[in-house]
C-alpha cells in the first residue's frame, strides 16, 4: 500500500512537476495570506534553502497537490521502487505532498522545515533510482562492449589469470600515483570514464566494479556537468585497502553509525538479511548497488565483485519469500553437490536424469533468471549464468554478499547538492529573487 504520513502527526515530513492549478480557487485565505494553490503557498513561505530543496524534490518527481480528503499536509511517498519509470509511479499516486483545502501559513512553514527529511526519505531515494536504473544499463552496456571487443581484459601472467593484484588503465586518461598504489583521472574525469569505454586496459574485477560506479554517475550527469562536479583526484582506482584511502573510496569503509548503507538500509535494519529489506521496497532498489559473489570455501579464485544491473519483480518476490541472499548460498551449495554427482561411483542413468531435472528447476527460479549483474570481465550476466560458470569452472559454491557501505548515499548526496547549486545559479542568472 502507498505510504501516507501526516506531517502534523509525524513532524517529518530536469523533471519539473506540474503546478497544482486545478484547485487553486478552492483554497480560502488563512491569516491574511492569499492561497492561489500549493505552489504559491510554498513560494511565499519557504526560506531560500527550503525553496532549493523543494525544487530538487520536484526534479525527482515529487508533486505538491491539493487533496480534499486530507485534513493536514500529508506525505504520500508511495512505493516508487516498485515501478519501472516515473510515469508509472505517478499513475500509482506516488511522490505526492497532499494539501488540504484549508491550510495555515504555520503548517506550510512546518512542511518547509521537514523538507530535508523528505529529501532523505525512502520514497525520494526510490525516485533517485528512477534516474540511476537507466544509467546503470547504459554504463554496463558500454563497459561490456569494450570487454567484448577484447580491449579491456583481466590481468594475465601468460596463459593464467594474474594471482596478485595488478592494473593497467588507459595511459591517455589515467595517471599512476607512486607510493600509493592507485591511479586517478589524468585531467577530465569524463575522459577517464570514456577511455574505459573505448581503449585498451587491464584490471581485475574490483577495479571494474569501481569504474562501473563512476560510469553510472557519468551517465547521469553527462560529460560537462560530471567534470564540474567531480575532481580528477576523486576518480581513483586501486586495490581495496589503497582505494579506501581515496576521497570517494573512503565511503566503502564507513563508520558503524553512518545513517544510510547501500542507499536504503538504516542501522536498525542491519541484522536482517539485506536482500529481504531491499526486495520489500521493490525491484528498483537494487540497480547500482554492489557486492561480491564470494567462495564459501574461503578460496579467493572464485570471488567476483559485481554491480546489480536489474532485478525483476518476480526475483524480488522470491527473495522476500525465500529468506533473501542467504537462500542463494543454500542453492549454490546444492548445485555444487549436483555437479559432483556424476563423478561418484554406481551412478545410474536415472540418477543423472534426476540431477538434471533438479538443476533445471533451480536455475528456473526467478532469482536466477531475473537478477542481472555486471562483472568484469564477463559483462552483464544473469545470476544463474554466473553461478553455473563458477561451479563448473572452479568447482565451488558462492554466497552473495552486499556491500552495505556509504558509496551510494555519498553519490546521492553529491547529486542533491550539485543539482540545488545549479538550480540556484540558473535562478540568479535570470534575476529571480529567492
Amino acid at each position: 500500500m502507498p505510504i501516507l504520513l501526516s506531517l502534523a502527526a509525524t513532524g517529518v515530513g530536469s523533471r519539473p512537476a506540474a503546478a497544482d492549478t486545478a484547485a487553486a480557487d478552492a483554497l480560502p485565505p488563512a491569516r491574511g495570506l492569499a492561497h492561489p494553490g500549493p505552489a504559491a503557498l510554498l513560494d511565499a513561505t519557504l526560506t531560500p534553502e527550503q525553496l532549493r530543496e523543494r525544487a530538487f524534490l520536484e526534479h525527482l518527481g515529487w508533486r505538491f497537490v491539493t487533496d480534499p480528503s486530507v485534513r493536514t499536509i500529508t506525505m504520500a511517498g508511495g512505493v516508487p521502487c516498485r515501478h519501472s519509470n516515473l510515469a508509472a509511479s505517478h499513475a500509482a499516486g506516488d511522490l505526492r505532498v497532499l494539501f488540504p483545502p484549508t491550510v495555515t501559513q504555520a503548517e506550510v512553514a512546518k512542511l518547509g522545515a521537514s523538507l530535508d527529511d523528505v529529501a532523505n526519505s525512502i520514497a525520494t531515494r526510490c525516485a533517485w533510482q528512477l534516474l540511476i536504473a537507466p544509467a546503470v544499463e547504459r554504463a554496463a552496456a558500454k563497459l561490456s562492449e569494450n570487454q567484448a571487443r577484447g580491449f579491456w581484459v583481466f590481468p594475465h601472467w601468460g596463459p593464467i589469470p594474474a594471482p596478485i593484484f595488478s592494473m593497467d588503465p588507459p595511459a591517455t586518461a589515467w595517471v599512476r600515483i607512486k607510493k600509493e598504489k592507485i591511479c586517478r583521472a589524468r585531467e577530465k574525469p569524463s575522459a577517464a570514464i570514456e577511455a574505459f569505454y573505448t581503449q585498451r586496459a587491464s584490471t581485475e574485477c574490483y577495479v571494474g566494479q569501481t569504474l562501473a560506479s563512476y560510469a553510472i554517475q557519468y551517465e547521469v550527469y553527462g560529460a560537462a556537468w560530471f567534470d564540474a562536479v567531480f575532481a580528477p583526484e576523486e576518480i581513483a582506482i586501486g586495490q581495496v585497502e589503497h582505494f579506501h584511502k581515496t576521497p570517494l573510496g573512503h565511503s566503502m569503509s564507513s563508520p558503524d553509525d553512518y545513517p544510510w548503507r547501500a542507499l536504503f538500509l538504516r542501522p536498525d535494519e542491519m541484522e536482517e538479511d539485506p536482500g529481504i529489506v531491499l526486495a520489500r521496497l521493490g525491484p528498483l532498489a537494487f540497480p547500482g548497488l554492489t557486492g561480491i559473489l564470494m567462495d564459501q570455501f574461503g578460496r579467493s579464485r572464485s570471488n567476483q565483485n559485481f554491480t546489480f544491473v536489474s532485478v525483476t519483480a518476480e526475483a524480488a518476490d522470491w527473495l522476500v519469500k525465500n529468506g533473501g541472499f542467504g537462500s542463494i548460498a543454500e542453492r549454490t551449495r546444492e548445485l555444487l553437490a549436483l555437479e559432483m554427482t556424476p563423478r561418484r561411483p554406481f551412478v545410474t542413468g536415472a540418477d543423472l536424469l534426476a540431477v538434471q531435472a533438479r538443476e533445471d528447476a533451480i536455475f528456473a527460479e526467478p532469482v536466477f533468471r531475473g537478477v542481472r549483474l555486471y562483472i568484469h570481465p564477463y559483462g552483464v550476466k544473469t545470476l544463474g549464468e554466473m553461478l553455473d560458470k563458477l561451479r563448473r569452472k572452479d568447482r565451488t559454491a558462492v554466497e552473495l554478499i552486499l556491500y552495505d557501505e556509504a558509496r551510494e548515499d555519498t553519490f546521492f548526496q553529491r547529486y542533491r547538492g550539485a543539482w540545488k547549486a545549479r538550480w540556484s545559479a540558473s535562478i540568479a542568472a535570470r534575476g529571480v529573487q529567492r
Side-chain angles (χ1 to χ4, degrees), residues 319-339:
L319 287 168
V320 173
K321 294 175 183 176
N322 289 276
F325 296 146
S327 294
I328 294 173
E330 295 173 3
R331 295 294 196 278
T332 65
R333 289 194 295 272
E334 182 179 357
L335 284 167
L336 180 61
L338 293 168
E339 171 70 12

Side-chain angles (χ1 to χ4, degrees), residues 84-164:
S84 60
N85 55 62
L86 185 60
S89 185
H90 280 173
D94 296 343
L95 300 172
R96 293 180 300 155
V97 180
L98 308 178
F99 281 65
T102 301
V103 64
T104 67
Q105 189 173 14
E107 290 175 302
V108 179
K110 189 174 183 179
L111 168 64
S114 77
L115 290 181
D116 177 73
D117 293 325
V118 178
N120 272 306
S121 68
I122 293 292
T124 300
R125 290 164 185 269
C126 282
W128 162 241
Q129 287 293 96
L130 291 167
L131 292 180
I132 289 295
V136 174
E137 293 283 359
R138 294 193 299 272
K142 293 175 182 179
L143 294 172
S144 298
E145 287 166 4
N146 203 31
Q147 294 158 352
R149 285 192 293 266
F151 282 15
W152 183 14
V153 299
F154 195 94
H156 275 70
W157 287 6
I160 65 170
I164 62 173

Side-chain angles (χ1 to χ4, degrees), residues 319-364:
L319 287 168
V320 173
K321 294 175 183 176
N322 289 276
F325 296 146
S327 294
I328 294 173
E330 295 173 3
R331 295 294 196 278
T332 65
R333 289 194 295 272
E334 182 179 357
L335 284 167
L336 180 61
L338 293 168
E339 171 70 12
M340 303 304 292
T341 298
R343 296 169 177 79
R344 296 170 183 164
F346 311 114
V347 174
T348 67
D351 293 332
L352 295 178
L353 288 174
V355 165
Q356 188 62 56
R358 179 54 184 157
E359 287 181 348
D360 292 345
I362 292 175
F363 283 121

Side-chain angles (χ1 to χ4, degrees), residues 185 187-194 218 226-227 230-232 235:
E187 293 179 356
K188 291 184 177 180
S190 61
I193 305 305
E194 287 286 347
Y218 171 68
F226 186 72
D227 289 340
F230 292 89
I235 307 303

